[in-house]
Amino acid sequence: MTPTRELFLDRRLFFYVILVIIMSGYDAVATMQHIGRGVAAEGNPLMESLIERSALLFFFVKMAITTFCMYVFYRFSHKKAARIGIQTAVGLYSLLCVYHSMIILFG
């Protein structure tokens, strides 16, 4: 089997990884929007310092960290802990997306 075929063996987990990266992007944009409107604050002190310096820097670092972590989880998805990590990320980012949507609708 070629390395590329091996990379995409578990399509469900690969879809979850892509979904987490997309939700992370939404989280970053929504967070910046909410902070700009004064209805929310960044909960992570490191990310807060990046937002204060540059929204673009914040977005780039957040996406780079998320993408790297999801790559590592997927690369080791033959291990149970990595699969749990991917599923946990999907769950947590889903909750964050609901939170951001609630702020948009009711905030």
Side-chain angles (χ1 to χ4, degrees):
M1 206 175 299
T2 64
T4 302
R5 266 183 85 89
E6 288 178 16
L7 183 63
F8 301 108
L9 274 181
D10 192 330
R11 292 179 185 203
R12 181 182 55 86
L13 282 180
F14 185 75
F15 171 76
Y16 287 166
V17 166
I18 298 301
L19 185 62
V20 166
I21 293 168
I22 291 168
M23 288 190 292
S24 178
Y26 173 69
D27 175 43
V29 171
T31 297
M32 290 184 287
Q33 181 185 32
H34 299 330
I35 289 171
R37 291 178 40 219
V39 295
E42 173 59 51
N44 181 331
L46 170 65
M47 291 294 137
E48 182 180 25
S49 69
L50 291 176
I51 289 174
E52 291 171 359
R53 291 182 70 193
S54 164
L56 189 59
L57 179 63
F58 162 74
F59 185 82
F60 175 75
V61 170
K62 178 171 180 51
M63 295 308 295
I65 290 170
T66 302
T67 301
F68 176 74
C69 290
M70 288 297 100
Y71 168 76
V72 170
F73 281 151
Y74 189 75
R75 183 75 175 89
F76 292 95
S77 61
H78 59 280
K79 304 277 188 184
K80 185 176 182 178
R83 291 190 304 275
I84 290 171
I86 292 170
Q87 293 166 347
T88 301
V90 169
L92 292 175
Y93 270 109
S94 295
L95 290 174
L96 271 174
C97 288
V98 169
Y99 169 75
H100 286 303
S101 297
M102 298 301 271
I103 290 175
I104 290 169
L105 291 172
F106 305 110

